[in-house]
Amino acid sequence: MTKFSDLNLSPKVLKAVDEAGYESPTPIQAGAIPPALEGRDVLGIAQTGTGKTAGFVLPMITLLARGRARARMPRSLVLCPTRELAAQVAENFDTYAKHVRLTKALLIGGVSFREQDKLIDKGVDVLIATPGRLLDHFERGKLLLTGVQIMVVDEADRMLDMGFIPDIERIFSLTPFTRQTLFFSATMAPEIERITNTFLSNPERIEVARQATTGENIKQCVVMFKASRRDREASEKRKLLRALIDSEGDKCTNAIVFCNRKTDVDIVAKSLKKYGYDAAPIHGDLDQSQRTRTLDGFRGGTLRFLIASDVAARGLDVPSVSHVFNFDVPGHAEDYVHRIGRTGRAGRDGKAMMICIPRDEKNLADIERLVQKEIPRLENPLNSGNSPVQVPVQSESKAPEKEDKPSSERGPKPDRGPKPDRGPKPDRGPKPEPKPERSPEPTASSPARNKPSDDKPTENKSRNRGGRGQDRGGKKVVGMGDHLPGFIALSFDERRAI
Ligand code: AMP
């Protein structure tokens, strides 16, 4: 087995790795570090959880240990799709660079430009950024990218999903062509392939896991659920979620609950809280300090339930999540793999439970096709007669909101009974569907600044993700497919939030 000491990393980096408690390199590290240290381009096909961050940060630190930073000209650049991922890379950098004198700056949205400008002015060795914020700094004339010797693109497939590819291409073109590029993506969609063919030079390609694998240590199940009435679906689903959580008892030490829509993230978090569960939401419309606080609480064990959107939770490294609850079946099968991959990390056991309503059955079938197995059906704990939850009997004449009121056992009533259920009123016609969570893709010709933020909503089922390279019928879809890019419908402000 390869040892870290075989990889040619600097002694100071090896010391930090040793102190981090790592015994041996993961496959992506063993594959990526040696060519990176030789100055070669690397194309790493790996998901989060594989140790890929250290796979690029460790050689970067070793390579940058020689030389010094110059004002406004960072020597290396790491691009991440979301603020949280960028912050996570920065944390990793601090851990691994603690015995060397290198400076870093984190450029993410939601943080004041002034502080970031000050750091850049002094000169930084490593700039960790989201693409939008980096270009904002560049356009304000505060930053030159001509000194970049090493550029890392992390989670490129997510960049594609979020419409950042034009930004990435622009950033590539602002850096010297002599730079070394370390490029990571969980999947190789045709558009990603095109970018790597254009901007990487004879890269060493390392692939560590298939896209559609779900860990064997993750126990999965799905509850097929039909509401008693359409207008009660939302509140009955929340009741079912509580029953599923309760059915796991103490085994559920902490969990991420995924919803497809940001509005549902808020509603589910509020509802769980009202019933006495320790829950908080995370999605892109929340301000950065709140997002950071929530995540820190969840990581630190002071928050038990994180209610999340896909984009906000993507790539988050929370090593010990006992459960993932899919409040909604994700509209894209690959997201199921990413979602449930939050649990069962580092060889631990995990459990993933999902609620499937009739109109999501097609999406469920897509998921089962992708993971190549049937997800075991679980009986609805509310039907089994031994529900662990006290469920008030609901008469047809009652308003749907009534169902979502907490039972006295679950905790004190709030002072002002906020209405948890913003579902449609019974007598009204169907409410228009709230926008789902995902971002639209821009065309390659869209201006670089016309991008969506990390968490902006997009159309879901009606839109194909050109980036995944396949439509549901197995036909290849290259680039953006033939749909009108949804970003055209977004306001300028909505696109520049990151
Ligand atoms: P990543 O895929 O970069 O998000 O890393 C996933 C987790 O694996 C992080 O918590 C790292 O601290 C941890 N990790 C990275 N490399 C190693 C290693 N060689 N041995 C043990 N844990 C590691």
Side-chain angles (χ1 to χ4, degrees), residues 42-263:
V42 170
L43 171 56
I45 303 162
Q47 300 179 5
T48 42
T50 54
K52 72 178 162 55
T53 316
F56 60 79
V57 173
L58 300 181
M60 267 174 77
I61 298 170
T62 300
L63 291 168
L64 293 171
R66 293 166 245 132
R68 289 197 49 201
R70 288 165 60 192
R72 292 188 195 178
M73 291 178 69
R75 299 163 67 206
S76 66
L77 176 61
V78 181
L79 293 174
C80 304
T82 65
R83 301 165 186 182
E84 280 77 13
L85 273 173
Q88 206 164 278
V89 170
E91 264 172 42
N92 273 254
F93 177 83
D94 288 343
T95 305
Y96 307 135
K98 66 184 191 190
H99 300 300
V100 292
R101 283 187 48 190
L102 290 175
T103 52
K104 70 146 201 303
L106 179 62
L107 302 191
I108 53 176
V111 177
S112 100
F113 276 99
R114 250 201 355 193
E115 289 304 306
Q116 297 179 338
D117 282 346
K118 257 198 245 166
L119 285 172
I120 298 171
D121 279 348
K122 273 199 237 154
V124 290
D125 297 296
V126 181
L127 199 55
I128 302 163
T130 49
R133 182 49 82 104
L134 182 83
L135 285 173
D136 282 342
H137 277 276
F138 180 79
E139 278 159 14
R140 291 163 75 243
K142 296 289 183 188
L143 183 64
L144 281 171
L145 297 176
T146 43
V148 170
Q149 298 155 23
I150 305 170
M151 174 161 155
V152 178
V153 179
D154 196 14
E155 304 253 348
D157 53 336
R158 204 56 171 188
M159 303 262 198
L160 172 66
D161 288 349
M162 294 165 62
F164 285 141
I165 293 299
D167 283 0
I168 299 295
E169 290 189 78
R170 172 137 188 256
I171 295 167
F172 264 125
S173 71
L174 296 172
T175 59
F177 76 95
T178 50
R179 69 168 188 269
Q180 179 183 5
T181 309
L182 312 176
F183 192 100
F184 292 84
S185 184
T187 57
M188 283 305 285
E191 187 70 354
I192 301 284
E193 195 94 48
R194 183 184 69 76
I195 298 285
T196 56
N197 289 341
T198 310
F199 295 105
L200 271 64
S201 160
N202 185 28
E204 176 81 17
R205 186 179 167 120
I206 302 120
E207 186 160 359
V208 296
R210 264 191 330 120
Q211 172 202 353
T213 46
T214 53
E216 289 306 316
N217 52 332
I218 305 172
K219 227 168 133 189
Q220 304 168 53
C221 61
V222 58
V223 179
M224 307 309 287
F225 168 70
K226 189 167 188 312
S228 62
R229 272 181 13 192
R230 178 75 190 264
D231 59 287
R232 289 185 185 157
E233 187 176 271
S235 66
E236 289 184 2
K237 250 179 116 177
R238 291 195 291 274
K239 190 196 296 174
L240 173 54
L241 173 67
R242 296 193 295 276
L244 289 174
I245 291 172
D246 291 356
S247 70
E248 289 300 293
D250 292 343
K251 283 181 283 169
C252 179
T253 51
N254 61 348
I256 304 179
V257 178
F258 283 98
C259 303
N260 289 358
R261 300 176 177 87
K262 283 184 274 192
T263 44

Side-chain angles (χ1 to χ4, degrees), residues 330-383:
H332 297 287
E334 304 91 337
D335 285 339
Y336 178 77
V337 180
H338 290 306
R339 285 182 182 188
I340 75 165
R342 306 296 94 216
T343 182
R345 286 169 88 98
R348 291 186 182 87
D349 287 334
K351 191 151 184 184
M353 305 177 98
M354 179 155 68
I355 301 174
C356 179
I357 54 174
R359 63 178 180 283
D360 284 345
E361 281 174 18
K362 189 190 161 292
N363 290 337
L364 176 62
D366 286 345
I367 289 168
E368 291 183 321
R369 204 170 308 125
L370 181 73
V371 302
Q372 292 170 16
K373 63 180 169 204
E374 193 189 7
I375 300 172
R377 269 50 174 174
L378 182 75
E379 196 192 339
N380 182 338
L382 295 173
N383 294 343

